[in-house]
Amino acid sequence: DLTAGAQLTVVPGVVAQLELTPEEAALVAGTTHQFQVKAFNAQRSPLEVRPTWTVTNDVGTIDASGLFTATKAGGGEVGVTVEGTTARARVTVTAGELATLRLSPERVVVQAGEEVQVQASGHDATGNLVPIAPTWRLTANLGELDPAGVFRAQHAGQGRIRAEVDTRPVVAEIPVEVVPAALHRIEVQPQTLTLSAGEELPFTATGSDAFGNTIPITPRWELTADLGTISATGT
């Protein structure tokens, strides 16, 4: 009838298995998802652990609690490691709704008669590309802007090229300036004149390009017959 005893202490043991849930997640950029990890020893007893989290391919970020924030569209993995044991979950991130438009180039300066292609790209709140079909507009009568974003300059002046997306209230603009082309024509006023000897009259000369844009000129005046004299200013 004698009994003997011994003090026994059981320690948790090392991590033998990790369970990461969910094993796969699909998110829209800008949203979050909570990942959970459970650790077990070789006898499937749960363990209290402090996991280390990682994300591949820069598809997002994850904090110490396993809260994943999606940022970059694409595929990657969320990894969790405890005492050398690692579990992974597949993550797919898609672009969010259109938030901004970006135009290229950022400014247009062209001569009348030239043309330039303006490009528009759509982006969500985290910078991912979003497919768009923009509508193009000119804020001033400077030329023609076709549906593909090709601007053909005609009239000298300043304005803006605007891209709009009707499905969402998103607009972007860039400044545009059209300068006259090369001198194409000189017009003299008056074009016909009858004077009495001793009278005088000033002539004016106006330069323009092939599109009718006015070009400042400093003309040189001369007479084709010995009818009188004409000054350097056209009188």
Side-chain angles (χ1 to χ4, degrees):
D1 296 330
L2 298 178
T3 301
Q7 181 69 35
L8 179 65
T9 300
V10 178
V11 297
V14 298
V15 175
Q17 183 181 7
L18 291 179
E19 290 184 0
L20 178 60
T21 55
E23 296 181 351
E24 186 171 350
L27 296 89
V28 175
T31 62
T32 61
H33 189 81
Q34 181 67 57
F35 283 89
Q36 303 284 348
V37 62
K38 294 180 180 180
F40 303 91
N41 64 14
Q43 282 72 41
R44 287 288 297 176
S45 295
L47 304 175
E48 293 291 333
V49 294
R50 293 184 178 181
T52 300
W53 298 90
T54 58
V55 179
T56 65
N57 204 27
D58 293 330
V59 293
T61 60
I62 193 165
D63 66 14
S65 69
L67 181 63
F68 175 77
T69 302
T71 56
K72 177 185 173 183
E77 289 183 334
V78 167
V80 61
T81 301
V82 178
E83 298 178 4
T85 301
T86 301
R88 301 184 185 278
R90 180 69 180 172
V91 176
T92 303
V93 178
T94 56
E97 293 184 341
L98 178 66
T100 60
L101 291 177
R102 300 175 189 172
L103 302 187
S104 177
E106 296 180 351
R107 177 180 176 85
V108 173
V109 179
V110 291
Q111 281 190 349
E114 295 180 340
E115 66 177 40
V116 63
Q117 174 71 62
V118 181
Q119 303 283 355
S121 59
H123 302 264
D124 65 12
T126 58
N128 295 299
L129 285 173
V130 178
I132 58 171
T135 300
W136 297 94
R137 304 184 191 279
L138 270 174
T139 64
N141 184 22
L142 302 176
E144 299 176 350
L145 185 60
D146 70 16
V150 177
F151 172 62
R152 297 176 180 86
Q154 295 177 344
H155 310 299
Q158 296 181 347
R160 303 185 77 82
I161 293 177
R162 175 182 298 174
E164 303 175 354
V165 176
D166 295 335
T167 55
R168 292 188 57 83
V170 181
V171 177
E173 292 183 339
I174 58 171
V176 56
E177 180 180 359
V178 178
V179 298
L183 182 65
H184 179 74
R185 180 184 179 189
I186 298 175
E187 182 176 344
V188 176
Q189 291 291 340
Q191 295 183 358
T192 60
L193 180 64
T194 301
L195 292 175
S196 299
E199 291 184 305
E200 68 177 33
L201 182 80
F203 283 89
T204 59
T206 304
S208 61
D209 63 12
F211 301 91
N213 298 303
T214 300
I215 299 177
I217 59 174
T218 303
R220 184 177 66 252
W221 297 92
E222 62 180 35
L223 287 169
T224 61
D226 187 18
L227 303 177
T229 61
I230 189 164
S231 70
T233 59
T235 299

